[in-house]
Amino acid sequence: MTRHPRTEVLVVGAVAVLAPLAFSRALIGGVTAAKWPIVMAGAVALLALWAHGTIKDRSVRPPTNLAVWLGVAAALGIALGVLANGVGWAGWWGEEARANGALLYLGAAAALLAIVAGAPVQEVRALRTALVAVGGVVALHGLLQYAGADPLDMPSAFGPVVATMGNPNFASAILGIAVPLVASLALERRQLQWRSTVGALALGLLVVASLSGSVQGPIVGVVGLGVLLVAWLLEHGGRVQRIGLAAAAGGGAVGLTLGLTGLGGVGPLSGLSNLAAVGPRLLYWETAWAMFRAEPLTGVGVGRFSAHYREFRPPEGATEYESTLIADSAHSVPLDIAAQAGLLGLVPYVAFVVGVGVALVVGLRRTQGPQRLLLGGVGGAWAAYQVQSLVSIDVPALAVWHWVLAGMVLALSGTVRTREFGSSEGGGRPRRRQRSRPREVITVAVTAAIVLVGAWAATVPLRAERAAAEGVARIQTGDLDRGGERLEHAEQLIGSSGRYQQERADALATVGELDAALDAHSDALDADPRRFPSLVGSARIADELGEHELADEMWRRIMEIERAQPDLVGEAVEHWLDRGDDERANALLDRSARLGVLTPELEALRP
């Protein structure tokens, strides 16, 4: 938002490239935890550049486009949801394995502002090329993984292709989003060899996305190509344009209808309803909607989906799928925001998406030639993100790509204007005479302060994760004191959330230090009374150690949160039977019967 946007766009490009590729084995959450600091470091760099330019030039040039500020309002709305619910660090970081809290959205909003505030077409084109390169790297890595020759030896428990995204759905999504970007690059030149080579890359991305076993990449890739096709048809007038646009609209309507009916188990695509991921998602969506209905204004708290999941999950969800099934996300970005941040976050977010969509349509009608095709590719990638976001999660790489693509669409559409406030040319005198040493000192001091403080803050989770990983490793090798110190340090770095105390408890339990593990679980519950793994861990250890009163309390609290999961209800019933409390055991079984989740195994426990 200064007179020198090139550096700002360069920072955004670095974040968009590095976020999907970063990983570390030295962290507890090695994939996600390594990506979040990159987004934060980029936001800090942008703040420093804005502060430096504003003080130096005594002017600022913010964009005036409504969609841009709706995006900023969405990020601020999510942040307000954190403050309104008082959830602390969990809200700023997000769910532990996702890092999708308020700070991620604030960082993404900074990237959006940097792009729209004066980025020329050639810089947007360079950003497109950078994202294409990321798609190529992810595809090559995924192909090597599929062939069993992963040079990084990334863990791939969820599927054969995860690249550095940690999950086949995320890897597939990145590849699908990149497809229209690659295709638009192919259309930039008319040479057959160029189009064949770059077109083969687009096809390769679709193939690797399919090899991941996740359907969302290929589906959204086709959606993105559809937007690019519209841009290409708009370049051809007359009959070709009319027939092509009609065919594209008809094909899109048919595809949408078949897809929706297929999810419902009807029609030629009815097999979609049998996909392993569909059933649980329907459960997650129903749960998220229940959370939103319970707390429509502020949601249940950003980063607290998993903490409230059992409370709002339909009882039948405990028996239709794995009894241990738990979710830390709605697996739908809009529903996630609705459930966790309520209307404070949802309304501006939806308005932001609609605003960018309107700008895309306006831009496709206004622009011509190479810029229209570039907008078609970028808009196709943006649309691909929107489709996958309906069934996926905003982890750092995907969230950043969304907001960067939104900024690229707005910059190319011709709908963004900037307005300069202040001036460095006062009184018609040359800028050189307006400079003063005190102002230069202030400029350097403020910029340095932002960089130093921001760098320290952005790396706090990284340092906490590293300390926690070291602590767990030391405990597992018998160094209990030093391991406990490192985990305590990790907990102190991020504030008292209970996460690393739980990690400490689990590590101590694996080496047989049950008394110490029980104390660590107690510390975790002091920090977060709804930390369910620590409730269950405390109950089981207390039973084993004969701490009957503590076990009674833990099982009571567990059954207040979890009403239907058969294996846990069974454990609680056995506990009360061992304690000679047949009345309480029968009450739990009767409740399971009322909820319709009384299994034969549970009935067999009835005294």
Side-chain angles (χ1 to χ4, degrees):
M1 292 190 296
T2 64
R3 293 174 179 271
H4 313 288
R6 187 179 299 275
T7 306
E8 299 170 20
V9 176
L10 183 63
V11 169
V12 173
V15 171
V17 168
L18 294 175
L21 304 179
F23 77 99
S24 172
R25 293 191 182 87
L27 310 176
I28 289 285
V31 175
T32 301
K35 300 178 185 302
W36 186 91
I38 291 172
V39 181
M40 293 300 102
V44 169
L46 291 173
L47 286 175
L49 288 169
W50 292 336
H52 180 274
T54 300
I55 297 173
K56 179 181 178 182
D57 296 334
R58 290 192 295 182
S59 66
V60 64
R61 300 170 63 242
T64 58
N65 182 280
L66 177 61
V68 177
W69 294 107
L70 286 171
V72 174
L76 292 175
I78 294 170
L80 284 175
V82 174
L83 297 174
N85 284 293
V87 293
W89 173 248
W92 299 112
W93 168 266
E95 288 286 351
E96 291 167 5
R98 308 299 186 186
N100 56 352
L103 285 175
L104 174 65
Y105 287 100
L106 291 170
L112 170 74
L113 283 170
I115 295 173
V116 299
V121 173
Q122 61 266 28
E123 292 182 359
V124 174
R125 183 173 282 109
L127 276 175
R128 187 268 312 269
T129 303
L131 298 184
V132 166
V134 172
V137 172
V138 171
L140 177 59
H141 188 190
L143 199 58
L144 290 172
Q145 284 180 325
Y146 190 81
D150 183 0
L152 301 179
D153 194 26
M154 294 291 293
S156 55
F158 296 105
V161 174
V162 297
T164 50
M165 294 295 293
N167 183 295
N169 291 324
F170 304 150
S172 183
I174 282 285
L175 293 172
I177 292 169
V179 166
L181 297 173
V182 177
S184 67
L185 185 63
L187 293 176
E188 279 202 344
R189 301 182 188 177
R190 294 184 178 274
Q191 295 95 328
L192 179 60
Q193 183 177 1
W194 169 264
R195 290 190 171 184
S196 299
T197 302
V198 180
L201 174 59
L203 180 60
L205 298 186
L206 285 173
V207 169
V208 178
S210 300
L211 293 176
S212 71
S214 171
V215 299
Q216 65 195 58
I219 290 174
V220 304
V222 172
V223 170
L225 289 175
V227 176
L228 178 59
L229 174 62
V230 170
W232 183 83
L233 289 170
L234 288 173
E235 283 294 293
H236 296 75
R239 187 178 181 186
V240 172
Q241 182 185 106
R242 291 193 301 272
I243 294 176
L245 290 176
V254 170
L256 178 62
T257 301
L258 291 177
L260 292 175
T261 55
L263 288 173
V266 178
L269 298 182
S270 58
L272 289 175
S273 63
N274 298 321
L275 293 175
V278 172
R281 274 172 168 73
L282 296 176
L283 173 64
Y284 303 152
W285 298 341
E286 185 175 352
T287 304
W289 182 246
M291 292 181 186
F292 175 65
R293 291 181 61 188
E295 299 289 346
L297 181 59
T298 62
V300 298
V302 179
R304 302 293 289 169
F305 190 94
S306 59
H308 292 276
Y309 174 78
R310 297 174 186 274
E311 176 185 350
F312 290 97
R313 178 200 60 200
E316 59 271 17
T319 55
E320 288 183 10
Y321 307 104
E322 295 180 48
S323 62
T324 56
L325 183 66
I326 187 68
D328 57 8
S329 164
H331 289 68
S332 170
V333 173
L335 280 176
D336 242 345
I337 294 173
Q340 298 185 63
L343 293 172
L344 279 176
L346 181 64
V347 170
Y349 179 82
V350 171
F352 167 56
V353 172
V354 171
V356 176
V358 171
L360 173 59
V361 173
V362 171
L364 288 174
R365 292 174 61 88
R366 283 183 181 178
T367 55
Q368 293 181 344
Q371 185 170 341
R372 176 181 276 165
L373 293 177
L374 176 60
L375 177 57
V378 172
W382 175 84
Y385 167 85
Q386 300 306 327
V387 173
Q388 72 84 38
S389 76
L390 298 177
V391 297
S392 191
I393 303 168
D394 252 355
V395 291
L398 288 173
V400 165
W401 271 39
H402 171 208
W403 293 63
V404 168
L405 288 166
M408 294 166 70
V409 168
L410 293 170
L412 291 170
S413 67
T415 61
V416 176
R417 299 289 183 272
T418 59
R419 181 178 179 183
E420 184 166 356
F421 294 91
S423 174
S424 58
E425 304 287 343
R429 290 176 292 177
R431 183 181 302 179
R432 182 173 298 176
R433 294 184 181 179
Q434 289 295 307
R435 291 180 179 174
S436 63
R437 187 164 186 82
R439 181 146 55 91
E440 291 177 354
V441 171
I442 292 173
T443 301
V444 173
V446 171
T447 304
I450 292 174
V451 170
L452 292 175
V453 174
W456 177 86
T459 58
V460 164
L462 202 63
R463 288 180 278 128
E465 288 282 303
R466 188 176 181 83
E470 181 186 344
V472 169
R474 285 183 176 274
I475 288 175
Q476 291 173 342
T477 57
D479 189 354
L480 304 185
D481 292 338
R482 181 58 177 164
E485 290 175 4
R486 296 304 291 156
L487 282 158
E488 183 66 30
H489 176 63
E491 187 78 13
Q492 291 172 351
L493 279 172
I494 64 170
S496 186
S497 71
R499 176 186 180 185
Y500 297 122
Q501 295 293 4
Q502 180 196 320
E503 295 281 358
R504 180 184 181 189
D506 292 341
L508 288 166
T510 61
V511 296
E513 296 288 336
L514 297 186
D515 287 305
L518 191 59
D519 289 340
H521 276 312
S522 177
D523 291 339
L525 290 171
D526 287 342
D528 180 3
R530 294 185 67 89
R531 181 163 287 276
F532 198 77
S534 282
L535 285 172
V536 175
S538 294
R540 289 170 176 169
I541 294 174
D543 271 333
E544 188 170 346
L545 295 177
E547 299 277 354
H548 299 305
E549 292 185 1
L550 177 59
D552 290 349
E553 173 66 14
M554 291 298 105
W555 283 115
R556 182 189 63 77
R557 290 169 63 179
I558 289 168
M559 288 296 100
E560 287 177 355
I561 296 173
E562 176 52 76
R563 302 171 297 153
Q565 188 172 313
D567 58 342
L568 284 176
V569 173
E571 282 192 68
V573 168
E574 290 176 340
H575 166 79
W576 294 116
L577 290 176
D578 290 341
R579 295 281 285 147
D581 194 338
D582 291 2
E583 181 179 356
R584 193 181 291 269
N586 274 319
L588 292 177
L589 294 171
D590 291 341
R591 183 178 70 175
S592 293
R594 290 194 301 272
L595 294 173
V597 293
L598 184 65
T599 64
E601 291 79 9
L602 284 177
E603 182 62 41
L605 296 174
R606 192 180 292 276

